[in-house]
C-alpha cells in the first residue's frame, strides 16, 4: 500500500500521466473525426511516424518549433488526402487502404530519416518545447507541478478537444459531419457534398494524428528513433470505440491510459524483480481488447462507417 | 466524348494478372523518385536489386528462403479476406506457431523425425488457428471489430514471447541472449540443396497453395466461403452455416500463419527469438492483395516481395541507399494494387459507345 500511496501521491506521476496521454489525445481526436464522417483511418500508426519524423526533421533543419508543428500537420494532411482519394473518391476498402497508408508513411519516414542523416551513430537532438508554467495556478501546492506545467503541445491538445467538441455539437458544420457518417443520403438531400465533407474530415483528422507523433519528437523527447511509435496509433483506434465517438470521453480514455502507463512504469521499478515487465506492457493492449469487447455491442457507432458513397445513392 | 465508369461484371484472369503485374511495376517506377532523391541512379539500383535477388544460385536460394514464410502468411490473408474476415494478426499468429513448435520440438516429446516434423507442424497450425478463432468468436458473440483486436493481439503475443525467452524458455547456453532452447535435430526441416538455406518449408508453402487452390475452386467449403464473403445475409438466407464457415476460415487462416512461424523456426533459425519475423505477417497482406486473393498467385507475389527485400539489401550494401527502400516498394505495391482493383471493378467507357458487359 505504501508503494501505491507513494506513486499516486507524487505530482510527478500525474504530470507524467498527462504527458503520456497527450499523443493519444491528438490521435483519438483525429481518428474520431475521420470515423464521425464515416471513414475508418487505419493509417494512424504510420501517420504518427510521419508526424514524428517530419516535425522533428523540420526543426532540425532550422524551421523552428512551430514551423515543425506545421510541417508535421501538413505531412499528416497529405497522407489523409491519399487515404481520402482511395476510400472516398475511388470507394476502395478502408481497411486495406489504411494498412497501406501505415506501411507507406512508416517506410517513407524511415527512408527519409536515413537519407537525410546518413552517417550518424547516435540520433542528433533538437531543443524541444519547454514546459509552460501557467502563472498563479502552477504555484499551487501539488496541483501546480502536477497539472499546470505542461508544454505548449499539451495545451494545444486540450484546446483541440474543446474545439472539436464545440464544432461537432454546436455548429452547422458539426451537424453535417455527424450526418455524413450516419446518414449520407440526408446530407445530399440538403444539397451538401458528402464527399467534400468526408475529405475535409479525413484530411483534418489525419493532420491531428500527425501532431500526436510530433509531440513525441518535439516535446516528450528531443530525437527521432526507429520504432518509437510502437503501437500507439492502434491504441487510439481502440480508444475511439471505448469513447463511443465522443471527444470528452476520448479525453478521459486517453488520460486513463496515460495514468495507467505512468503507473506501470513506476510499479515496475518497485516490483519488477517479482513480476516480468512484459506483463505490465501487455496490459494496455489487453485492456483495449477488453474495452472493445465490452463496448462493442452497445456502441453508438456512426451508421455509415466503412460504407463508400456514390452520388445519388439511396438507401 | 466524356468518359464514364461502368461496373464490370467479371474480370478475366488475363486482366487480373496484368493489373497485378502493372501494380508491381508501377510501385518500382514510383520508387525511382526517392532513389533519385537519395542521389542514386534508379536503373543501376534496379539492376543491382535484380542481381541481388536472382543473379546467382545463392541469391535465388535466399529469395526463395525469404518467400517461404510470405507464401504462408499470404495464403493466410487470402483465405480470410475471401470470406471478408479481416485478419491483420498474422504476425502474432506466426509467433504463436513458432512458440508451439519450440514447446513441442525442443525436448518435450521424443519422436523420430518422420513423426516429429508433422507433430510440430500440427502444433503450430493449431496454435496459430486458435489465435484467430478467439477474435472471430469475439466478433460473433459481441460484435467486436476483428481488425483492431487481431492487430492489438500482435503486440500481446510478441511481449509474451519476450517474457518466455527471457524467462522459462531461455536457453542457458545462449551467452545471455534472449532466445529459446533450440529445436531437437529431429524437428528441423532438411535443406533442399546442401549448403543453400532453402529448406522444406518452401515445399510446405507450395503444397498449401495447391490445397488452398483446390479448396476455394472445387470444394463445398470454398463455395461457402465465397458466398459468405460476397453477402453474409444472403448466405445465411440460403442456409449456409455462416458462423461455422467463418470459424473454419479463422482456423485455416491463423493456422497457415502459424505454419509460417513453424517454417521459420524449423527451417532457418532453429530457436525462438523476438526477431524471428521482420513483419512477415504484415507483408502477407500485401502478397494476398497483389495476388488478387488467388492462392497460386500468392506464390508468385510472395517471390516478388521476397525478391524486393533480398535485392534491396544487396543493392543497399553496394550503393549506400537505405534498404528501407524495400518497405517502400512493398507499401506502394499495396496501394497500387488497390488502385488497380478499382479498374477491375469498373471499366472506363465513352458515352455512346456502350460496351456489352
Amino acid at each position: 500500500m505504501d508503494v501505491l500511496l507513494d506513486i499516486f501521491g507524487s505530482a510527478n506521476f500525474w504530470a507524467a500521466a498527462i504527458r503520456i496521454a497527450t499523443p493519444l489525445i491528438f490521435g483519438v481526436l483525429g481518428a474520431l473525426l475521420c470515423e464521425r464522417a464515416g471513414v475508418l483511418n487505419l493509417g494512424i500508426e504510420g501517420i504518427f511516424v510521419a508526424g514524428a519524423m517530419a516535425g522533428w526533421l523540420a526543426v532540425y533543419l532550422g524551421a523552428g518549433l512551430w514551423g515543425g508543428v506545421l510541417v508535421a500537420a501538413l505531412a499528416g494532411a497529405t497522407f489523409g488526402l491519399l487515404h481520402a482519394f482511395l476510400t472516398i473518391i475511388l470507394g476502395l476498402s478502408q481497411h486495406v487502404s489504411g494498412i497501406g497508408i501505415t506501411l507507406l508513411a512508416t517506410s517513407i519516414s524511415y527512408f527519409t530519416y536515413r537519407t537525410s542523416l546518413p552517417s550518424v551513430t547516435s540520433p542528433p537532438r533538437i531543443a524541444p518545447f519547454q514546459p509552460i508554467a501557467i502563472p498563479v495556478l502552477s504555484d499551487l501546492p501539488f496541483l501546480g507541478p502536477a497539472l499546470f506545467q505542461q508544454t505548449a503541445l499539451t495545451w494545444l491538445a486540450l484546446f483541440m478537444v474543446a474545439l472539436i467538441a464545440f464544432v461537432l455539437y454546436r455548429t452547422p458544420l458539426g451537424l453535417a459531419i455527424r450526418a455524413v457518417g450516419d446518414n449520407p443520403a440526408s446530407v445530399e438531400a440538403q444539397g451538401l457534398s458528402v464527399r467534400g465533407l468526408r475529405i475535409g474530415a479525413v484530411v483534418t483528422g489525419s493532420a491531428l494524428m500527425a501532431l500526436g507523433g510530433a509531440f513525441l519528437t518535439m516535446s516528450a523527447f528531443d530525437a527521432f528513433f526507429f520504432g518509437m511509435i510502437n503501437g500507439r496509433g492502434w491504441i487510439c483506434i481502440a480508444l475511439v470505440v471505448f469513447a463511443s465517438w465522443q471527444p470528452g470521453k476520448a479525453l478521459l480514455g486517453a488520460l486513463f491510459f496515460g495514468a495507467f502507463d505512468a503507473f506501470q512504469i513506476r510499479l515496475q521499478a518497485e516490483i519488477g524483480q517479482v513480476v516480468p515487465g512484459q506483463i505490465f506492457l501487455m496490459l494496455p493492449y489487453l485492456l483495449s481488447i477488453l474495452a472493445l469487447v465490452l463496448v462493442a455491442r452497445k456502441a453508438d457507432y456512426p451508421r455509415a462507417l466503412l460504407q463508400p458513397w456514390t452520388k445519388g445513392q439511396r438507401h | 466524348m466524356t468518359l464514364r465508369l461502368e461496373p464490370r461484371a467479371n474480370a478475366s484472369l488475363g486482366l487480373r494478372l496484368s493489373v497485378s503485374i502493372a501494380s508491381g511495376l508501377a510501385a518500382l517506377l514510383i520508387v525511382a523518385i526517392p532513389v533519385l532523391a537519395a542521389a542514386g541512379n534508379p536503373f543501376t539500383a534496379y539492376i543491382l536489386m535484380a542481381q541481388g535477388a536472382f543473379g546467382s544460385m545463392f541469391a535465388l536460394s535466399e529469395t526463395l528462403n525469404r518467400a517461404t514464410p510470405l507464401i504462408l502468411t499470404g495464403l493466410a490473408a487470402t483465405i480470410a479476406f475471401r470470406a471478408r474476415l479481416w485478419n491483420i494478426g498474422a504476425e502474432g499468429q506466426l509467433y504463436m506457431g513458432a512458440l508451439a513448435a519450440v514447446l513441442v520440438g525442443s525436448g518435450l516429446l521424443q519422436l523420430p523425425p518422420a513423426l516429429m516434423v508433422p507433430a510440430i507442424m500440427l502444433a503450430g497450425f493449431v496454435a496459430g488457428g486458435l489465435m484467430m478463432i478467439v477474435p472471430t468468436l469475439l466478433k460473433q458473440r459481441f460484435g467486436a471489430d476483428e481488425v483492431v483486436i487481431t492487430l492489438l493481439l500482435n503486440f500481446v503475443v510478441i511481449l509474451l514471447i519476450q517474457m518466455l525467452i527471457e524467462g522459462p524458455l531461455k536457453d542457458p547456453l545462449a551467452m545471455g541472449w534472449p532466445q529459446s532452447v533450440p529445436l531437437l535435430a529431429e524437428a528441423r526441416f532438411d535443406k533442399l540443396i546442401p549448403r543453400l538455406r532453402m529448406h522444406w518449408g518452401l515445399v510446405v508453402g507450395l503444397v498449401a497453395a495447391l490445397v488452398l487452390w483446390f479448396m476455394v475452386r472445387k470444394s463445398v467449403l470454398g463455395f461457402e466461403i465465397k458466398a459468405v464473403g460476397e453477402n453474409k445475409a444472403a448466405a445465411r438466407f440460403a442456409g449456409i452455416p455462416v458462423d461455422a464457415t467463418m470459424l473454419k476460415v479463422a482456423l485455416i487462416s491463423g493456422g497457415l500463419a502459424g505454419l509460417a512461424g513453424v517454417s521459420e523456426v524449423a527451417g532457418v533459425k532453429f530457436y525462438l527469438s523476438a526477431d524471428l519475423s521482420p513483419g512477415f505477417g504484415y507483408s502477407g497482406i500485401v502478397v494476398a492483395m497483389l495476388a488478387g486473393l488467388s492462392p497460386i498467385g500468392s506464390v508468385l507475389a510472395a517471390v516478388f516481395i521476397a525478391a524486393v527485400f533480398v535485392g534491396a539489401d544487396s543493392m543497399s550494401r553496394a550503393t549506400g541507399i537505405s534498404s528501407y527502400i524495400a518497405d517502400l516498394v512493398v507499401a506502394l505495391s499495396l496501394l497500387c494494387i488497390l488502385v488497380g482493383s478499382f479498374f477491375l471493378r469498373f471499366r472506363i467507357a465513352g458515352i455512346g459507345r456502350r460496351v456489352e458487359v
Side-chain angles (χ1 to χ4, degrees), chain B residues 3-356:
Chain B
L3 293 176
R4 68 194 176 109
L5 295 167
E6 289 175 358
R8 195 193 285 276
N10 238 328
S12 68
L13 179 66
L15 183 72
R16 286 195 289 141
L17 207 60
S18 29
V19 165
S20 290
I21 293 170
S23 304
L25 291 178
L28 284 173
L29 202 66
I30 298 173
V31 158
I33 300 166
V35 170
L36 283 168
N41 180 334
F43 292 105
T44 326
Y46 290 151
I47 289 169
L48 285 170
M49 272 173 81
Q51 276 175 356
F54 302 112
S56 65
M57 202 51 207
F58 173 78
L60 188 64
S61 154
E62 285 301 296
T63 300
L64 292 176
N65 190 42
R66 181 93 181 201
T68 300
L70 290 175
I71 294 173
L72 288 162
T73 53
L75 293 173
T78 295
I79 184 81
F81 288 9
R82 272 179 171 261
R84 298 266 162 108
L85 181 67
W86 299 104
N87 178 8
I88 317 291
E91 187 78 359
Q93 291 145 20
L94 180 151
Y95 274 102
M96 284 308 264
L99 172 64
V102 167
L103 287 177
V104 172
S106 61
L108 179 73
L109 294 179
Q110 299 292 338
L111 294 170
L115 292 175
M116 185 58 116
V117 168
I120 62 163
M121 284 172 60
L122 182 68
F125 187 90
V126 172
L130 284 177
M131 281 303 290
M132 190 56 211
I133 282 189
V134 172
T136 309
L137 280 174
L138 291 176
K139 177 193 172 83
Q140 291 175 356
R141 185 87 180 68
F142 300 101
D145 182 28
E146 80 275 21
V147 178
V148 185
I149 292 189
T150 52
L151 245 170
L152 293 172
L153 280 175
N154 290 340
F155 293 91
V156 176
V157 171
I158 196 94
L159 286 163
L160 175 75
I161 300 282
Q162 281 174 7
M163 192 170 90
L164 291 174
I165 59 181
E166 285 171 19
L169 284 183
K170 189 179 166 108
D171 182 3
L173 302 176
M175 325 272 281
W177 291 104
Q179 62 189 48
S180 79
V181 284
L183 283 179
L184 300 174
E186 303 87 288
R188 299 180 186 188
F189 288 174
D190 284 334
K191 303 275 176 241
L192 287 174
I193 299 170
R195 284 190 300 280
L196 290 178
R197 290 212 300 167
M198 260 190 310
H199 56 87
W200 272 88
L202 180 62
V203 179
V204 173
L206 294 176
V207 170
L210 282 174
V211 170
L212 213 61
W213 172 82
F214 181 80
M215 208 182 80
V216 300
R217 295 298 289 272
K218 311 279 180 198
S219 75
V220 176
L221 180 61
F223 168 76
E224 289 175 341
I225 290 171
K226 189 171 174 345
V228 170
E230 275 169 7
N231 190 335
K232 222 175 258 180
R236 190 168 279 131
F237 184 69
I240 290 172
V242 173
D243 283 0
T245 305
M246 287 301 234
L247 288 176
K248 283 180 207 160
V249 169
L251 175 68
I252 298 170
S253 175
L256 287 167
L259 275 186
V262 176
S263 164
E264 281 307 282
V265 88
V268 183
K269 277 261 171 104
F270 308 128
Y271 56 83
L272 181 60
S273 61
D275 60 357
L276 184 71
S277 161
F280 289 132
Y282 303 104
S283 304
I285 298 168
V286 184
V287 167
M289 293 301 294
L290 206 53
L293 305 188
S294 139
I296 305 296
S298 289
V299 174
L300 300 175
V303 172
F304 170 72
I305 300 287
V308 166
F309 276 113
V310 173
D313 267 348
S314 134
M315 183 271 286
S316 172
R317 279 193 298 275
T319 61
I321 295 172
S322 159
S323 65
Y324 281 108
I325 203 85
D327 295 286
L328 209 47
V329 175
V330 170
L332 284 167
S333 300
L334 180 60
L335 292 172
C336 289
I337 188 72
L338 205 55
V339 174
S341 74
F342 179 76
F343 293 103
L344 290 180
R345 289 202 290 134
F346 298 96
R347 65 170 79 235
I348 297 173
I351 296 240
R353 197 169 58 89
R354 196 186 171 94
V355 190
E356 283 307 309

Side-chain angles (χ1 to χ4, degrees), chain A residues 59-131:
Chain A
V59 176
Y60 181 72
L61 296 176
L65 283 169
W66 287 106
V69 170
L70 190 68
V71 168
L74 282 176
T78 308
F79 286 109
L81 200 60
L82 182 59
H83 187 57
F85 171 72
L86 293 171
T87 60
I88 301 167
I89 304 292
L90 297 187
L92 299 166
S93 160
Q94 296 181 4
H95 287 126
V96 183
S97 169
I99 301 286
I101 299 282
T102 283
L103 293 177
L104 179 68
T106 306
S107 52
I108 220 167
S109 305
Y110 286 180
F111 181 80
T112 309
Y113 181 79
R114 266 279 168 271
T115 307
S116 320
L117 304 156
S119 54
V120 286
T121 43
S122 64
R125 305 186 175 283
I126 57 168
F129 280 105
Q130 294 303 312

